[in-house]
Amino acid sequence: MHVLYRKELSDHINSTRCQILYFMLALVCFIALYGAEQTLAQSASQTSDGTTTVSKFMFLLLFTTSGSNIYSISTFLGFLGPVFGIMLGFDAINEEIAQGTLNRLAAQPIWRDTIIISKFLAGATFIFLTVFSIGGLVTGIGMIGTGLVPSGEEVARILFYLLMASIYICTWMALAELFSVTCRHAATSALSSIAIWLFLTMFMSLLASGIAGMVYPTGQSVQGQMNTLANYNLQVGLNRISPYYLFSEVTTILMNPNVRSTNLVSILQSSDSAIASYLTLGQSLLQIIPHIVVMFAEMIAFFAAAYISFMRKEIRA
Amino acid sequence: MADETKDPIIQTVNLCKDYGEVHAVDHLNLQVHPGEVFGLLGPNGAGKTTTTLMLLGLTEPTSGHAFINGLNCTRHSLEVKNLVGYLPDNVGFYPAMTGRDNLIFSGMMNGLSEADAGKRAARELERVGMTYAADRNAGTYSRGMRQRLGIADVLMKDPKVIIMDEPTAGIDPEGVRAMTVLIRNLALEEHITLLISSHDLYQVQRISDRVGIFVHGKMIACGKVQDLGRQLQNEGLYMFDFTAEKNGEKEWSPEFQQKIREIPDVTIVGRKVDGSIHVEAKRDILLELQKLMVEQGIAVREMHQTGGDLDEIYRKYFEKAEEEEEGGKSNGRSGQNAGGEEADRPVGLKAKLAAVRSRRKK
């Protein structure tokens, strides 16, 4: 197993495709970091007159603040992460078939699941390496650039965030691997994965509000008023099927200790003038435990589907 | 060489594989003895590849069992894959790795250390004559080179049995010759049992100790090539191929055909694509045939009596199976078959070949 794992990992690291992806992601993150620094510098100069309070978690803002004409790092990770995962996974199995190496590999004295498990683990390792190295670079450059020093809690939050980002990307890789088993051609599998990604990222919210509107119509009538809460809950629930939505909520909670809830309460709290204080890391994690579990479950489910369909697949020339 | 006193190293018992309604392999009982070169012959889609995949445990049989060296191929697939090397049809290698690295990778998958795998790879590359290209990327290899590297790859695990699927398909004649020598030497020098599936008759004839003819998932004949030929002759099948010329032109007039048919016991008169005439009879009609042509003023070129030729054997058995399949409903059909001849097919052939079969079963 470790022989195959090593080979797969070195394939990833040496492939042009992965190097391009890596540098693209790194470049985008650095530009986003620059944008964030600009914005923060502006707001810092504004706050120095004492009208607004400076966040206690200034350093985290580097990840979530967007520049004047560029998205924030967390937005980029949420958006480009899936592309990264899909690129790593979409041709895992069907490429082997196209090369004619799969039946040779399957004829070696290894269990068949070794093949797909090694591929997944190698991909996951590469994702972890990428996310953590880029996260580390961004943190380091951010420290030099801004002169801010992250507190222990900030470091812990960043590490958790990067871990979540890795799992998020792994989820998409597992999905792409599922398609790489079921689709004969790499192009089909890539397009299918990208279609699902676009759907879950862009259109899931439209679909969710549509369905919620149909099931619990809201309006001026008494019943409509009564339905508001159910409508909202259903809409959010449907949205949370998408790993993209889950990940964005995880980002919000982890990187912004101000946010106390992902439920309806989060809307109410702003109007209800809650006490202005931060959640501790433990409390923030408590908020997103369900999200983490669901995201992990989705990853496992996608991988399990890929695993099962691979094990049942007929391997022939 | 082939040690038939020992237990068979490859054995299948009523092996079946269905794909929906199609019986890809139908109650196959096959025995291959240690050190033997066995040729699986059959047209495309006859179930040869499916059989080899079941032997390797890559595909599960619908029913029946396959054993290699006494191990059940489905249950103990890991142990079986330790013993068996598989050279798939159109073998592929990782294009971004050199040929040598591909071999070392295979060796390490089989539990060799990197250093041992390196030494072994060098030896096997030398054996298949690929040392000169060993450090080029496998993506640059031609098909023949890939096939040779495939043999080296199979040898990396020091197998007891090698299963090859169409080893010479798509290779130039010189490459085929080299490949044949290589395969033959493996059996002679290393005492490796070889199972070769192919539709290339001549190559199989040259390297196999025994052949099995496969049609529609059934093995319709099995034995040494000469035996199969003799069997057809014993059943009263004599075949003559010749070119007849009259005034320098190839003769094929209806009267001439009629004359040949009038010879007693002639069953088939046909013409092949190259213009030569093919006659089948139930007894040796050589003298009568020659007499007829002398009387007609026809010159004979290149007459030969066929029968021991695998081509004919194969075609005969194949036709038989086809006719059984179609229930003899199209006896007079003109042949699009292996011989490429337009032969008239009198009734009776089917019955005769069925007799061949029933005798074989005894």
Side-chain angles (χ1 to χ4, degrees):
Chain A
M1 172 128 167
H2 73 277
V3 178
L4 195 55
Y5 169 77
R6 251 177 56 190
K7 185 220 146 241
E8 288 295 329
L9 189 56
S10 82
D11 273 1
H12 280 317
I13 293 172
N14 291 323
S15 74
T16 327
R17 179 205 307 171
C18 291
Q19 285 165 359
I20 290 175
L21 274 173
Y22 184 91
F23 285 112
M24 181 194 75
L25 207 59
L27 194 68
V28 160
C29 284
F30 293 146
I31 296 172
L33 178 68
Y34 175 73
E37 278 181 16
Q38 298 280 307
T39 314
L40 283 184
Q42 261 177 19
S43 57
S45 64
Q46 279 166 6
T47 53
S48 57
D49 55 15
T51 47
T52 38
T53 48
V54 184
S55 171
K56 193 180 148 203
F57 295 96
M58 198 65 172
F59 199 82
L60 293 181
L61 290 176
L62 283 179
F63 283 85
T64 50
T65 312
S66 51
S68 47
N69 47 14
I70 188 151
Y71 296 119
S72 67
I73 292 175
S74 59
T75 315
F76 271 123
L77 265 185
F79 204 72
L80 290 178
V83 180
F84 195 82
I86 287 170
M87 289 289 247
L88 283 177
F90 79 95
D91 62 352
I93 301 295
N94 46 22
E95 174 83 353
E96 295 264 358
I97 295 177
Q99 285 171 2
T101 43
L102 185 62
N103 44 12
R104 201 165 58 83
L105 203 57
Q108 305 296 340
I110 51 169
W111 297 114
R112 191 193 274 206
D113 57 357
T114 309
I115 298 172
I116 191 153
I117 292 176
S118 316
K119 277 182 183 292
F120 182 77
L121 285 182
T125 310
F126 188 68
I127 288 171
F128 273 79
L129 285 175
T130 308
V131 168
F132 276 88
S133 65
I134 290 180
L137 276 173
V138 165
T139 313
I141 295 175
M143 276 165 71
I144 298 168
T146 59
L148 292 166
V149 178
S151 67
E153 191 180 334
E154 279 174 318
V155 172
R157 277 174 186 273
I158 289 172
L159 285 180
F160 262 106
Y161 171 71
L162 294 178
L163 185 68
M164 286 300 108
S166 307
I167 291 177
Y168 169 65
I169 297 175
C170 283
T171 307
W172 289 102
M173 184 181 70
L175 177 74
E177 280 186 359
L178 170 63
F179 281 114
S180 87
V181 177
T182 50
C183 299
R184 215 178 151 71
H185 298 287
T188 327
S189 116
L191 287 176
S192 312
S193 321
I194 287 175
I196 297 241
W197 163 59
L198 278 179
F199 174 75
L200 287 182
T201 308
M202 308 270 194
F203 307 117
M204 193 64 197
S205 54
L206 302 180
L207 189 77
S209 62
I211 290 177
M214 278 197 299
V215 179
Y216 296 111
T218 55
Q220 294 303 317
S221 67
V222 178
Q223 188 58 44
Q225 300 281 338
M226 303 275 281
N227 275 344
T228 311
L229 182 63
N231 180 299
Y232 179 80
N233 279 339
L234 180 62
Q235 194 175 330
V236 171
L238 284 175
N239 266 326
R240 282 186 184 144
I241 292 172
S242 158
Y244 176 74
Y245 192 82
L246 286 175
F247 182 63
S248 61
E249 285 193 332
V250 166
T251 311
T252 316
I253 295 279
L254 266 183
M255 301 307 265
N256 194 347
N258 254 325
V259 179
R260 290 140 188 254
S261 170
T262 53
N263 293 331
L264 197 58
V265 184
S266 63
I267 301 176
L268 298 177
Q269 99 179 7
S270 53
S271 58
D272 246 10
S273 65
I275 305 161
S277 71
Y278 302 105
L279 287 186
T280 59
L281 176 60
Q283 291 300 312
S284 287
L285 283 178
L286 208 57
Q287 290 292 323
I288 52 159
I289 278 289
H291 297 70
I292 296 173
V293 170
V294 171
M295 208 148 76
F296 208 79
E298 283 184 350
M299 177 181 85
I300 299 289
F302 286 143
F303 180 66
Y307 181 94
I308 291 166
S309 54
F310 180 67
M311 293 303 278
R312 300 177 75 95
K313 199 178 175 67
E314 175 119 321
I315 297 179
R316 58 191 312 163
Chain B
M1 177 180 35
D3 192 353
E4 296 188 15
T5 54
K6 278 193 203 158
D7 289 337
I9 191 159
I10 301 176
Q11 187 173 24
T12 69
V13 182
N14 284 326
L15 195 66
C16 295
K17 177 74 185 176
D18 299 344
Y19 290 106
E21 291 289 293
V22 185
H23 303 298
V25 177
D26 198 356
H27 291 94
L28 176 68
N29 288 298
L30 177 72
Q31 293 195 337
V32 181
H33 300 284
E36 192 174 32
V37 181
F38 191 89
L40 274 183
L41 268 175
N44 296 330
K48 291 169 294 173
T49 304
T50 311
T51 306
T52 55
L53 290 180
M54 284 193 282
L55 284 174
L56 281 159
L58 295 183
T59 298
E60 277 185 33
T62 310
S63 65
H65 300 285
F67 300 95
I68 288 184
N69 210 22
L71 294 161
N72 187 313
C73 297
T74 317
R75 298 247 177 84
H76 303 278
S77 68
L78 220 56
E79 289 91 336
V80 167
K81 285 192 276 188
N82 257 323
L83 297 173
V84 184
Y86 176 49
L87 181 64
D89 180 17
N90 195 8
V91 60
F93 290 93
Y94 295 109
M97 287 159 74
T98 65
R100 191 190 300 277
D101 285 346
N102 266 298
L103 291 192
I104 291 174
F105 174 61
S106 287
M108 286 169 75
M109 297 272 282
N110 283 284
L112 294 175
S113 72
E114 193 161 355
D116 288 346
K119 273 182 226 152
R120 188 157 197 127
R123 205 181 77 201
E124 303 304 346
L125 281 165
E126 190 60 51
R127 191 202 314 240
V128 298
M130 284 286 291
T131 309
Y132 72 100
D135 295 311
R136 263 164 53 192
N137 274 355
T140 64
Y141 286 1
S142 69
R143 176 155 186 158
M145 289 162 85
R146 262 189 289 144
Q147 216 69 31
R148 272 192 282 166
L149 192 66
I151 291 186
D153 182 65
V154 161
L155 290 171
M156 284 299 289
K157 68 165 77 172
D158 198 12
K160 277 180 98 164
V161 178
I162 299 180
I163 296 175
M164 295 186 183
D165 202 350
E166 306 283 355
T168 55
I171 304 182
D172 60 80
E174 178 55 25
V176 170
R177 201 193 55 78
M179 186 75 89
T180 311
V181 172
L182 196 63
I183 292 172
R184 198 67 227 177
N185 282 347
L186 286 180
L188 289 175
E189 292 165 13
E190 307 276 321
H191 301 290
I192 296 173
T193 312
L194 284 151
L195 183 70
I196 297 170
S197 97
S198 179
H199 55 240
D200 187 337
L201 308 167
Y202 290 100
Q203 182 224 333
V204 168
Q205 192 167 14
R206 228 172 305 156
I207 53 181
S208 302
D209 298 321
R210 285 197 303 148
V211 297
I213 299 181
F214 244 70
V215 179
H216 297 304
K218 293 194 181 85
M219 192 158 71
I220 55 173
C222 174
K224 292 191 166 126
V225 175
Q226 305 92 299
D227 291 351
L228 290 180
R230 211 170 297 136
Q231 212 154 44
L232 284 176
Q233 227 163 47
N234 287 346
E235 281 302 318
L237 182 60
Y238 290 82
M239 288 174 272
F240 304 91
D241 280 312
F242 56 91
T243 317
E245 280 185 10
K246 195 173 193 177
N247 306 329
E249 278 182 30
K250 283 192 177 147
E251 172 69 19
W252 185 241
S253 61
E255 304 87 63
F256 178 53
Q257 290 177 44
Q258 192 51 44
K259 284 267 188 250
I260 301 178
R261 269 196 203 106
E262 278 167 8
I263 300 173
D265 289 334
V266 166
T267 53
I268 290 180
V269 179
R271 190 151 89 137
K272 293 191 175 177
V273 274
D274 62 356
S276 67
I277 294 167
H278 176 82
V279 176
E280 288 176 19
K282 289 181 190 157
R283 59 187 177 81
D284 199 342
I285 54 156
L286 182 62
L287 264 175
E288 284 150 286
L289 207 58
Q290 283 171 335
K291 210 165 113 195
L292 169 78
M293 280 184 287
V294 171
E295 281 167 6
Q296 298 280 314
I298 296 169
V300 180
R301 288 191 198 277
E302 310 172 32
M303 175 178 278
H304 53 263
Q305 188 173 350
T306 46
D309 194 357
L310 197 52
D311 196 4
E312 293 297 337
I313 298 167
Y314 176 64
R315 195 166 58 76
K316 277 291 140 205
Y317 279 110
F318 182 45
E319 277 170 8
K320 176 187 81 181
E322 282 231 308
E323 279 176 19
E324 270 176 14
E325 197 95 339
E326 293 175 16
K329 65 187 168 193
S330 56
N331 273 321
R333 109 204 97 118
S334 68
Q336 299 289 320
N337 43 31
E341 70 198 312
E342 327 156 339
D344 302 315
R345 228 164 279 277
V347 196
L349 177 73
K350 186 194 150 201
K352 182 179 65 189
L353 286 159
V356 176
R357 187 165 194 212
S358 63
R359 175 172 291 197
R360 275 206 54 68
K361 276 185 177 163
K362 290 173 209 161

